[in-house]
Amino acid sequence: DLRDGLRLALTLLTVAPVRSGRVDRATATVAMAAAPSVGLLIGALSGAVLVALTRIGMPALPSAVAAVALAAGLTRGLHLDGLADTVDGLGSYGGPERALAVMKQPDIGPFGVVAIVLALLGQTAALTAIAYRPAPQVILAVAVALGTGRLAAALACRRGVPAARPEGMGALVAGVVRPVTVAAWAIGLGLAGAGAGSWPGAAAVALGLGAAALLVRHTVRRFGGITGDVIGAAIELTSTICLVVLTIPE
């Protein structure tokens, strides 16, 4: 379960060329519990790119764009697509069936486009603001933000949260994560966030997860449960909020 679960975490959350193993509820439990570690890795890589580019003389803004592009590329842009689909579904008229039908459509509506633009602008602006902080602090800050974003995925998959559909990723991972696992990760990331930016770092983790909890609660009311798109939306929303809060001076 552990080996196949870690493989599943990488195949679900990254473009890593990892051969998938067994895929079932047991391995999904491991995958979602390990999701924050995948975010920490992606964040560390993105932060390292930001530091490397600014230290060789590239201005902060294009360096931040490159770091954001790397994070999006490492995830195939799936989380951004999930954000767009979720916002389109929430902005549609009608009941849960209508909203879920809107989310399954291959095109992106105006609400979704605006959501993606705002998320990318927020992330880029935040990375621009912290680009010239000490290198270890920058790398840790980005790692914590993206790790917390993936913890939001685990939060969305905690026990008691149903799936909106009987099939798909939401049905595979809904309700597989124990609340104590989420709490343990939240404490660890909060402490790491404090190291990255004193009280704003710890506040970033708390505010990001709070926003994810509200999103999940609202989507359960609106759709009847979570979907893979909702998980992607929680990741992007939380990551963006964390990065923005981390720009506050200590």
Side-chain angles (χ1 to χ4, degrees), residues 186-239:
I187 292 171
L189 287 168
L191 292 174
S198 189
W199 70 264
V205 174
L207 291 173
L209 292 177
L214 291 175
L215 173 66
V216 171
R217 181 180 179 183
H218 184 56
T219 54
V220 169
R221 287 181 178 178
R222 185 74 171 80
F223 308 144
I226 64 165
T227 66
D229 287 330
V230 171
I231 294 171
I235 289 173
E236 291 296 338
L237 175 65
T238 302
S239 299

Side-chain angles (χ1 to χ4, degrees), residues 23-135:
V23 179
D24 55 24
R25 296 277 290 180
T27 55
T29 300
V30 176
M32 299 316 297
S37 61
V38 177
L40 287 170
L41 176 60
I42 295 173
L45 291 173
S46 298
V49 167
L50 177 64
V51 168
L53 292 177
T54 53
R55 295 330 185 250
I56 65 174
M58 184 177 289
L61 179 57
S63 299
V65 170
V68 171
L70 174 64
L74 288 174
T75 59
R76 299 190 295 269
L78 287 178
H79 307 327
L80 289 167
D81 180 68
L83 173 65
D85 288 342
T86 299
V87 173
D88 281 338
L90 291 174
S92 65
Y93 294 100
E97 295 79 8
R98 169 59 181 164
L100 291 172
V102 168
M103 293 167 66
K104 289 191 72 173
Q105 293 177 0
D107 58 329
I108 298 177
F111 289 133
V113 172
V114 171
I116 289 178
V117 170
L118 290 177
L120 293 177
L121 282 176
Q123 293 170 19
T124 302
L127 292 184
T128 301
I130 69 173
Y132 293 113
R133 292 181 180 178

Side-chain angles (χ1 to χ4, degrees), residues 119-161:
L120 293 177
L121 282 176
Q123 293 170 19
T124 302
L127 292 184
T128 301
I130 69 173
Y132 293 113
R133 292 181 180 178
Q137 192 179 70
V138 172
I139 295 172
L140 181 59
V142 183
V144 167
L146 271 61
T148 305
R150 276 63 183 178
L151 178 55
L155 178 70
C157 298
R158 70 189 184 277
R159 292 179 180 176
V161 178

